[in-house]
Each structure stands twice: as C-alpha cells, then as structure tokens.
Amino acid sequence: MRDARRLNLLFAAILAQVTGLGCSTDTNSCTAPDSTDQIIRVHPEALVKAMADGALTPSECHSLCDGPEVTDDPTTTGSETTTGDATTTEDTTTDATTTGDATTTGSSSTTSTSTGVDDSATGGNPDLLGCAAIEGDPNNIECTYRLYCAVGRRPAGLASEGRSAGDDACARWFAEIAHLEAASVPAFERLAAELAEHDAPADLVDAARLAAGDEARHAALMTAIAARYGGQPSPIEVAAIDRRGLLEIALENAIEGCVGETWAALVAAHQARAAEDPELRATMASIAADEAAHAALAWAIDAWIEPRLDPEARSRIADARRRAAEALRDPPRLDPALRRRAGLPDHERARQLWGALDRALWSAAA
C-alpha cells in the first residue's frame, strides 16, 4: 500500500532531486527556483506587419507569442541569447520570444496577462488563447494562456466551472482552486457512501469521510487567500448521478485520485517550499499533507477494487490512469506573478517533477 508517509517521503525526495527544494515545510529557508519574468518580446517590424489590418489573428498570435527567442534588442539578428534555462540561436526570421514560462495542473480554466483573441482553432499551441498589442510599446506583446488546476477530487456531475471575474491572475487562480476544493467535499461524501454500499473495509469508508472534512477546510483556506487578492469563488453545482458499480468508481478513482490528487500533493509540497507568501507556504504545507493522505486513500481503494474486477476491467482502469497521467506531461505557461506568489514550478521543472513521479509511481503501477 502506498501510505501517506511513504508518499510524503517520495515527494520530498523528488523535490530535492529535481529542484533542490529539499528543506522542511516548517522552515522559511526555502526559496523559489531562479526564474525570469514572462516577457513576450517581438521585432517591431513583425508587430507592425501583424497589426496592419488593425487586429491580431490567431495565427499571428501563435507566431508572436510562441516563436523562438530574440535578444534584448529586438532589432538584433544572428546572435545567441540565454533566457531562464533555455539557449537559442536567432536568425533574421525570428518574430517573438517568451521568457520565464511556468505551470500548474489539472482541469482547465483560463488565466491571462491581457485580453485578446480566441486561438481555439489554430492548430498551434492549444493553451494560447489570444494576444494583444500594448499601446505605445512596439517591442512587447501581451499573451493569454490557458491555466490548469488539479486540486482535490472532482465529483462526477460537476456542473460549475469555478471561474472568477477580474484582471488579477492570482485572484482568479485562487478562486478557482477554492471552488475545486469545495467541489471535493461532495465527491468524498459520495465516495464514502458508495464504498459502504459495496461493503468496502471500514477504514476506507472512514478515510473518505475524513477527507470530505479536509476538503471543506481547504476550501475555506483558499477562499480566504483568494479574497486577499480580490477573488471570489463561484458556488459549486453538482448534478445527481445514478448508483455506480465498482468499475465506474474505480475509473474515477484512478483519474481523480491515483493521478489527480497524487500530482496535486506533489505540487502542493512544492508550493509549501517555494511560494513567496509565507502565509501561503504554511497553508500549502497543511494542504500537502492532507492531499498525500487522500492520494494514499486513492491507491488503497484501487488495491481493494482491482481483485474484484475481471481482466478487461482492470485493463480499462490501467489505461485510464495512464491517459490521465500523460495529460499532465506537458504543462502550459501561466502568469509569472502567479507562479512566484503561489510557488508553482516553471514549465521545465514541472516536466521534470512529472517524469520523476511517473518513474516512481505511475509507470510502476501500469
């Protein structure tokens, strides 16, 4: 059984190996990894050309926002530059740069550094939602990226999106996290009832009920933090569903628990060490411990259900777990201020964390 203690030790080892953030969550000596602000820097000629018709099309946004890097002087060509962890060589066809990208995980919502156009059907980066020119600034452009959140256990039938209005990326992000935490309460309440109906061991039923209380506390904590930034989570809406069999419960548990909550626990442990805000570090330390316990519960439920299913059903569960894990492999960019304040890993570190967790856990369970 992958118990909470072993998972916490695994997460600490991964963080120490990948990021150097191996210190205790109750110390203030941990600092965020070195990174640069996200600056989308473009050649003036490229922006003038793109804006010739008075608007930026989705394809132009992809060219400007996700193109190769340029030097600090947008007119310089043929030189090499290093930004963050990446080094690129430029030529005269370079249009744009993104420096200092970052990530979070899970179910989709949106965050942005600007308003812009819809990039949903361009065939380029699916997480780029749009871009906008900055008035009076020919060298920079604001780009809007999709934000992913994976916190808690989403219940089947969740009908509310949890999006929060406002311009502040931190306010929107924490408000959505609070919404997802609140939605986890009925998810665990339903799970406890279903486990009891299927005669699961009492310790699994009791742990699911305790997890519902944990998530209610997490929702209150995240709501308070969102309010500090001016965010307000939307009310949760969960539709009623029919009684489910063991296979349906197991599939949801594999996706939401063995993958979603396990990943969320690792990311929360990173935030507990790397967030700029000391209050948030303390909050995330508490949440990380709870999420590790919820992840351990998910793996325990998986171990209890698996022998009760036929080989075809077990294969479906393994495939669902694998697909859910693969969906987290390549995280998108997000607002750099949010990344620093919340202590979220940048794009490259998130990929490294994913790889380490995959090798230690998900691939081993395949």
Side-chain angles (χ1 to χ4, degrees):
M1 175 179 174
R2 297 166 177 83
D3 58 42
R5 180 177 179 276
R6 291 179 181 177
L7 285 177
N8 275 316
L9 290 173
L10 172 62
F11 298 153
I14 289 174
L15 289 172
Q17 172 191 351
V18 172
T19 71
L21 297 175
C23 49
S24 171
T25 57
D26 61 1
T27 177
N28 290 328
S29 64
C30 299
T31 57
D34 290 339
S35 61
T36 58
D37 286 348
Q38 184 182 13
I39 302 172
I40 313 302
R41 199 160 181 79
V42 301
H43 286 287
E45 296 87 347
L47 183 56
V48 169
K49 181 179 179 181
M51 289 293 295
D53 59 357
L56 292 170
T57 67
S59 61
E60 288 169 340
C61 283
H62 281 288
S63 175
L64 293 169
C65 294
D66 291 332
E69 296 186 4
V70 299
T71 62
D72 287 340
D73 179 1
T75 62
T76 302
T77 60
S79 62
E80 186 179 85
T81 181
T82 301
T83 308
D85 295 330
T87 301
T88 61
T89 302
E90 303 153 10
D91 57 32
T92 56
T93 63
T94 298
D95 284 333
T97 181
T98 301
T99 66
D101 53 3
T103 183
T104 185
T105 56
S107 65
S108 67
S109 67
T110 57
T111 188
S112 69
T113 53
S114 74
T115 58
V117 297
D118 181 8
D119 279 358
S120 58
T122 61
N125 180 353
D127 298 306
L128 179 63
L129 299 178
C131 67
I134 303 172
E135 185 175 358
D137 185 349
N139 298 330
N140 293 285
I141 189 171
E142 294 178 314
C143 299
T144 301
Y145 290 91
R146 189 177 305 278
L147 171 65
Y148 288 79
C149 305
V151 175
R153 179 183 285 253
R154 292 171 299 175
L158 180 62
S160 49
E161 295 185 349
R163 295 181 181 176
S164 175
D167 296 330
D168 188 275
C170 292
R172 291 196 304 272
W173 191 83
F174 285 115
E176 180 164 357
I177 293 299
H179 173 269
L180 292 174
E181 297 281 16
S184 297
V185 176
F188 276 111
E189 290 174 341
R190 179 187 290 162
L191 177 63
E194 290 177 327
L195 290 173
E197 289 176 359
H198 288 283
D199 297 320
D203 61 334
L204 297 183
V205 177
D206 291 343
R209 288 172 178 156
L210 289 173
D214 293 339
E215 299 293 7
R217 184 173 66 257
H218 298 174
L221 290 170
M222 288 294 103
T223 296
I225 291 175
R228 286 172 46 196
Y229 291 102
Q232 176 63 45
S234 60
I236 61 169
E237 300 175 17
V238 181
I241 61 172
D242 294 333
R243 185 181 186 274
R244 299 186 296 180
L246 282 179
L247 176 56
E248 292 172 297
I249 296 171
L251 286 169
E252 179 184 90
N253 182 70
I255 296 168
E256 297 295 330
C258 297
V259 176
E261 288 182 296
T262 302
W263 175 248
L266 176 58
V267 173
H270 185 284
Q271 292 179 266
R273 293 158 168 80
E276 285 184 343
D277 185 339
E279 180 180 343
L280 180 59
R281 287 202 300 271
T283 298
M284 295 313 300
S286 173
I287 290 178
D290 289 341
E291 293 296 344
H294 301 169
L297 171 61
W299 288 100
I301 291 171
D302 182 80
W304 174 74
I305 292 181
E306 183 176 357
R308 290 163 173 78
L309 300 174
D310 61 37
E312 182 181 353
R314 291 198 293 270
S315 177
R316 286 184 60 187
I317 293 167
D319 288 345
R321 186 170 55 231
R322 185 72 241 165
R323 288 195 301 270
E326 287 290 342
L328 300 175
R329 178 196 288 270
D330 191 24
R333 300 178 180 90
L334 67 103
D335 185 272
L338 168 60
R339 183 193 65 212
R340 294 192 306 271
R341 293 173 187 172
L344 295 161
D346 66 23
H347 181 84
E348 182 57 32
R349 280 195 171 90
R351 286 180 59 90
Q352 293 170 355
L353 291 173
W354 183 94
L357 188 58
D358 181 58
R359 289 189 296 273
L361 204 55
W362 293 323
S363 289

